């Protein structure tokens, strides 16, 4: 029997990602202060079953290596998602990472 957690493996997404447009801010609900960034990412690994899907990644870093200024004028940029995590909450799949690095 296949379970939801069988699909929550980051390896299924592949290793090639493209940041689309720039970051958007995520503010803490209680304080209203910036707490993280959200980044739209296109999966570009042709071996992935999710090739060309667009996902939103929560970047848990207020100073990502590929900074806000680096992405604000670019429509798409190849990126590496450091410490990518996939999970589910109330039937919704979420994605997060600790940093966004430029792909070489």
């Amino acid at each position: 029997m296949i379970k939801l957690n069988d699909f929550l493996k980051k390896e299924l997404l592949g290793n090639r990602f493209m940041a689309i447009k720039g970051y958007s801010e995520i503010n803490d609900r209680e304080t209203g202060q910036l707490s993280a960034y959200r980044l739209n990412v296109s999966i570009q690994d042709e071996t992935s079953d999710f090739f060309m899907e667009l996902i939103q990644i929560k970047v848990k870093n207020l100073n990502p290596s590929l900074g806000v200024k680096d992405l604000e004028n670019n429509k798409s940029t190849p990126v590496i998602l450091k410490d990518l995590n996939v999970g589910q909450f109330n039937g919704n799949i979420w994605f997060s990472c600790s940093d966004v690095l430029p792909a070489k």
Side-chain angles (χ1 to χ4, degrees), residues 26 30 56-57 73 76 83:
I26 299 174
E30 293 178 15
Q56 286 190 343
I57 307 285
N73 293 322
S76 60
D83 302 323

Side-chain angles (χ1 to χ4, degrees), residues 31-72:
T31 66
Q33 298 293 318
L34 178 64
S35 63
Y37 288 106
R38 183 176 298 114
L39 183 62
N40 289 323
V41 172
S42 173
I43 300 169
Q44 295 292 304
D45 194 323
E46 294 177 2
T47 63
S48 171
D49 290 337
F50 305 101
F51 177 60
M52 297 293 288
E53 287 293 327
L54 187 66
I55 58 176
Q56 286 190 343
I57 307 285
K58 181 178 183 179
V59 182
K60 297 180 176 183
N61 184 341
L62 297 181
N63 295 304
S65 296
L66 191 59
V68 174
K69 294 284 185 198
D70 296 323
L71 292 180
E72 70 183 1

Side-chain angles (χ1 to χ4, degrees):
M1 176 178 204
I2 295 176
K3 298 181 181 182
L4 177 61
N5 287 342
D6 295 337
F7 293 99
L8 300 180
K9 296 179 178 125
K10 64 183 179 182
E11 293 81 16
L12 296 175
L13 301 177
N15 295 313
R16 297 183 62 214
F17 303 99
M18 185 80 65
I20 307 298
K21 297 190 180 180
Y23 293 102
S24 58
E25 295 182 351
I26 299 174
N27 295 323
D28 183 272
R29 290 183 187 189
E30 293 178 15
T31 66
Q33 298 293 318
L34 178 64
S35 63
Y37 288 106
R38 183 176 298 114
L39 183 62
N40 289 323
V41 172
S42 173
I43 300 169
Q44 295 292 304
D45 194 323
E46 294 177 2
T47 63
S48 171
D49 290 337
F50 305 101
F51 177 60
M52 297 293 288
E53 287 293 327
L54 187 66
I55 58 176
Q56 286 190 343
I57 307 285
K58 181 178 183 179
V59 182
K60 297 180 176 183
N61 184 341
L62 297 181
N63 295 304
S65 296
L66 191 59
V68 174
K69 294 284 185 198
D70 296 323
L71 292 180
E72 70 183 1
N73 293 322
N74 294 323
K75 289 187 176 185
S76 60
T77 304
V79 294
I80 297 170
L81 303 171
K82 185 176 179 185
D83 302 323
L84 177 63
N85 287 307
V86 180
Q88 67 94 12
F89 181 73
N90 286 339
N92 294 312
I93 297 176
W94 56 261
F95 305 91
S96 69
C97 69
S98 65
D99 200 3
V100 178
L101 308 164
K104 296 174 180 156

